[in-house]
Each structure stands twice: as C-alpha cells, then as structure tokens.
Amino acid sequence: MQTRALGTTGLRVSEIGLGAGPLGGSELDDRAAIELVHAALELGISLIDTAPSYGRSELRIGAALRGRRERVVLSTKLGYAVPGVPDWTGPCITAGIDLALDRMGTTWLDIAHLHSCPLDVLERGEVLDALEAAVRAGKVRAAAYSGDNRELAWAIDSGRFAVVQCSVNLADQRALDAAIPRAIERGVGVLAKRSLANAAWRDASQPGAPDRAEYWRRMREMNLPPHGEPAAHALGFVLAQSGISSALLGTTSLANLAAAVATGALDARSAQTARDAFRRCDRGWDGVI
Ligand SMILES: NC(=O)c1ccc[n+]([C@@H]2O[C@H](COP(=O)([O-])OP(=O)(O)OC[C@H]3O[C@@H](n4cnc5c(N)ncnc54)[C@H](OP(=O)(O)O)[C@@H]3O)[C@@H](O)[C@H]2O)c1
C-alpha cells in the first residue's frame, strides 16, 4: 500500500483509508468489526476515519486498536452528540474531543473534523477557537473540516484547517474544479469521502436514501462506458486525482477491502472520460454532504 503526505501536517496516510461509517451499524457485530479493522491494518491501511454519528464505530475502533494505536492515523468528527451540551458550541467541541478520546481509548486524535459544520457557525468562530485550543493542548494533531460546497471553500480559505474531507467520486466531482486545487496551493491535506459514490451501480432501481438516490441518478445520466470491475473503476478514478491524500472507502466486507487495496489509479484517458462526462451533465450537481 502506497502512502501519501497529508498536506503539510507531517503525517503520511495510506492512499486508501478505512471509512468507518458502515463499521458501527448492525450489519457487523463487535467481533466482526474488530476483525475488519485488524484486517485493514494487515493490508497496510494506516488511516481510519470515524464519527460519533456512526453507531458503535468509535467504540469498536477503540477496542480494535488496543496495543496497536501507534500504527494508525486516527480521524474522527465533532460538533454534536455531547449529552447536556448544545451542538455547535465551543464547549461541545472541547467535551466532544474528551468523549472521543475516551471511547477510543487514546490520548490523542490525529485528525479532528468539524462534521458538516454550517457556514454561520464557522463564521462565528467559537467552535474553531475550541478546536485550535485542543491542538495547542496536544489532544488533536490536525484541525480539520468535513463538508462540501461553500463551507468547504470557506474552510480552505480561512487558513485555519490543516486537513479537509470532501466528496470526490465519479458522480461528485465539483471539488476537483476549485476547492482541491486551492487546497493544494495552501498546503491543506485532502481526504476524499464517498469514494465509491456509495456503490450506486449496485441498485437496480432508484434507492430510497436521498444521497444514494442522487448518485444513482447522476451515474445513469453520465452513462459512462463500462471499464472493468465497477468498484475498481470508481476507486481508481479517485486515486488518479492530484491533491487527494487518501480515498476513504466504507465497507463491511473483508473481500471488498482486499479488492480495494489491490486497486490502482485509473489511466489518464479513462479518468478524463469521466471528468468530461461529469462536466457535460453537471447541472447544479453540488457536492453531496
Ligand atoms: N460528512 C462526512 O463527513 C462524511 C459523509 C459520508 C462519508 N464520509 C466518510 O467517507 C467514508 C466512505 O463513504 P461511504 O461509506 O459513505 O461510501 P462509499 O465508500 O462511497 O461506499 C460504501 C459502499 O460501497 C460498498 N462497497 C465497498 N466496496 C465495494 C466493492 N468492491 N464492490 C461493491 N460495493 C462495494 C459498501 O458495501 P459493502 O459493505 O458490501 O462492501 C458500501 O455500501 C465513510 O465511511 C466516512 O468515513 C464522511
């Protein structure tokens, strides 16, 4: 597994990261989730991205990393779900960091994102001040923003985030036009979320969840020529883009994880075909948060 520099943070991350969204749900029990994390480490994955909203994900990762913490760049998210504390306030960030440390049995977070934080909250500054205080206190190594569109642009231009996480996949390419080039210029590390477009090709008819439905609709409209195995095509597209340090892949399957690790970047011509198709079809196709 190749590693890439994460902007100017001094951290290096595997070019495929374990997106631990699906890791916390009922599809896996605790034991299977822990085995999946161990398998990811064995495959050379050194970045794990989670959030308090991903069910039991943080707890399971904490259990899996006992005695292995040093091997990973650990990333989570903040801004909500702190009992008795209003969301999107400074105290919610400060207490949220302590809760995450506790759940994952660690004394530091490598990357801590404001999780889809609204623009007005960013502008108010209170949550960012609290996040920066945690960096100074050594509890967080890299202050990060996770989200898309205007909020993403604001976060990059603010100069206050070392890392951003945004949607990049075959059906969601807006960030490649302006936000990611700007992040490169400013030395901000970029993590791609939803790298597989939520595997929208798997659904025979339009799925119910609005985000999956949007990707499903976009993929049909783009009508890309088939290019080998669909997951390898999707992931290879993200790996071929410059400025992205790691493509986060969500999976509950050991086989799918192993297949991802064996995937290489798409050739330049096929990547361009996908870029052209997106531009041809893009009618207000904002980044999906
Ligand atoms: N706002 C935010 O901050 C935000 C939002 C979304 C995502 N994220 C981050 O990004 C990560 C990735 O996004 P995601 O999990 O939403 O979506 P994703 O990685 O684009 O897609 C996940 C889906 O792809 C399927 N899949 C994986 N490998 C496959 C293969 N080889 N063939 C067919 N299907 C395959 C998985 O099913 P199986 O379980 O069957 O493999 C799962 O249903 C998340 O886990 C999270 O860390 C962050």
Side-chain angles (χ1 to χ4, degrees):
M1 167 74 58
Q2 302 285 321
T3 62
R4 299 183 184 179
L6 182 61
T8 50
T9 61
L11 296 167
R12 290 193 73 82
V13 290
S14 50
E15 62 183 12
I16 293 168
L18 180 62
L23 202 81
S26 55
E27 231 174 297
L28 297 175
D29 61 20
D30 287 354
R31 191 167 151 197
I34 290 167
E35 278 172 13
L36 195 77
V37 172
H38 290 170
L41 299 187
E42 290 316 308
L43 287 165
I45 290 176
S46 65
L47 169 66
I48 302 178
D49 177 68
T50 183
S53 58
Y54 299 165
R56 292 179 60 73
S57 183
E58 286 187 330
L59 285 168
R60 289 170 170 176
I61 289 166
L65 293 185
R66 231 167 268 148
R68 296 171 165 88
R69 173 65 184 92
E70 302 280 344
R71 288 170 62 179
V72 298
V73 171
L74 186 56
S75 160
T76 192
K77 312 199 183 79
L78 303 163
Y80 54 89
V82 176
V85 182
D87 291 354
W88 298 119
T89 57
C92 179
I93 301 303
T94 307
I97 289 167
D98 288 339
L99 285 178
L101 292 175
D102 203 40
R103 281 192 291 262
M104 294 195 281
T106 181
T107 54
W108 82 101
L109 303 171
D110 295 294
I111 308 170
H113 297 84
L114 301 181
H115 194 174
S116 312
C117 178
L119 190 55
D120 61 313
V121 178
L122 285 172
E123 286 171 342
R124 213 164 58 225
E126 180 191 347
V127 295
L128 246 169
D129 292 344
L131 185 57
E132 287 173 343
V135 173
R136 286 194 299 276
K139 291 184 177 184
V140 169
R141 289 182 75 178
Y145 179 76
S146 153
D148 298 84
N149 306 320
R150 283 192 315 151
E151 291 80 359
L152 175 65
W154 190 97
I156 294 166
D157 281 336
S158 72
R160 296 178 71 181
F161 293 96
V163 174
V164 293
Q165 179 176 152
C166 55
S167 294
V168 184
N169 59 54
L170 286 171
D172 203 336
Q173 302 184 18
R174 275 284 185 89
L176 293 170
D177 291 330
I180 293 176
R182 186 86 178 122
I184 297 171
E185 257 172 50
R186 300 197 68 125
V188 175
V190 178
L191 306 177
K193 64 183 166 78
R194 299 180 183 271
S195 299
L196 289 188
N198 298 125
W201 64 85
R202 291 205 295 200
D203 294 297
S205 59
Q206 185 158 343
D211 49 355
R212 292 175 67 103
E214 176 64 16
Y215 283 160
W216 185 87
R217 194 181 59 75
R218 289 183 186 185
M219 294 287 271
R220 287 178 87 87
E221 209 173 312
M222 286 169 69
N223 194 24
L224 287 169
H227 191 283
E229 206 280 312
H233 184 196
L235 188 57
F237 172 76
V238 181
L239 293 174
Q241 306 307 319
S242 19
I244 294 176
S245 300
S246 187
L248 297 172
L249 175 98
T251 186
T252 52
S253 151
L254 280 172
N256 285 348
L257 193 62
V261 167
T263 300
L266 209 56
D267 63 280
R269 194 159 159 204
S270 307
Q272 192 57 48
T273 301
R275 293 287 285 129
D276 294 343
F278 184 88
R279 288 199 173 108
R280 202 168 49 244
C281 298
D282 178 4
R283 287 173 210 91
W285 284 5
D286 282 344
V288 174
I289 295 164

